[in-house]
Amino acid sequence: LTEEPEKLAAWDKGISWGKQCMGLNSEFAALVEKGDEDEGTAARVLTADDVPCTYWTASALGKWGKMQGLTTILKYKDTIYAWMVRVEEIDPNYFYTGPTRYFAAYYAALPSFAGQDLPQSQELFIKAIEANPEHLGNRVLYADYWATRTQDVAVFDEQIAYVLAADPEVLEGLGPEQRAEIRKAQALMDKKSDLFLE
């Protein structure tokens, strides 16, 4: 999707279904329903069975919140962080080291007053790429989140060039996602002059 209203609607649906999925863990659901703990602190009772629901709900909530604006993302960032920490504790390799990739983007995307850490971000991006070099999302996010913020044209060019030359079918069953990453890379390249200062 490319239009903002369509993206917001899709992420909203993802959040709604994702929370229902997380709620299948009766212990988590009870803690949240009783109000004894919020959705973030209650993440401690999530199990390996809850990893897919938790990962994708956190991802959708983060993207939805970012598009809504700074106030919204700051409101939800602690919950998203707690969910992703729990995923990492249980299965750090889930979806091609998804938690590592997520935190790499997280530390770059945060405002400086809210915990932005660009060296930590780069370290995590490199870790994700080394673990799964053919997963194109690692590279697109590295270019989009870290390279643009640090104005590192060399890293941007290297990662985008790799993605644009990649075979999207190299990871079995991931073709649609990989092709989407190639489209994202091309869109970033097309607006490179707007992303980097002369």
Side-chain angles (χ1 to χ4, degrees), residues 70-117:
L70 181 60
T71 301
T72 301
I73 195 61
L74 290 178
K75 176 181 177 181
Y76 292 105
K77 80 176 184 69
D78 291 342
T79 297
I80 297 166
Y81 185 88
W83 287 350
M84 200 60 76
V85 164
R86 186 59 180 151
V87 171
E88 187 172 46
E89 289 172 348
I90 299 169
D91 187 359
N93 295 315
Y94 178 73
F95 200 66
Y96 304 93
T97 54
T100 303
R101 178 171 57 254
Y102 186 89
F103 286 124
Y106 173 89
Y107 285 117
L110 284 175
S112 56
F113 67 83
Q116 183 184 75
D117 189 336

Side-chain angles (χ1 to χ4, degrees), residues 7 10 14 21 26 29 42 46 54 56 63 70 104 115 129 133 137 149-150 153 162 173 193:
K7 287 184 175 184
C21 185
S26 58
L46 295 170
T54 307
W56 292 109
K63 292 176 180 178
L70 181 60
I129 290 169
R149 282 164 178 78
T150 60
V153 178
Y162 183 100
S193 61

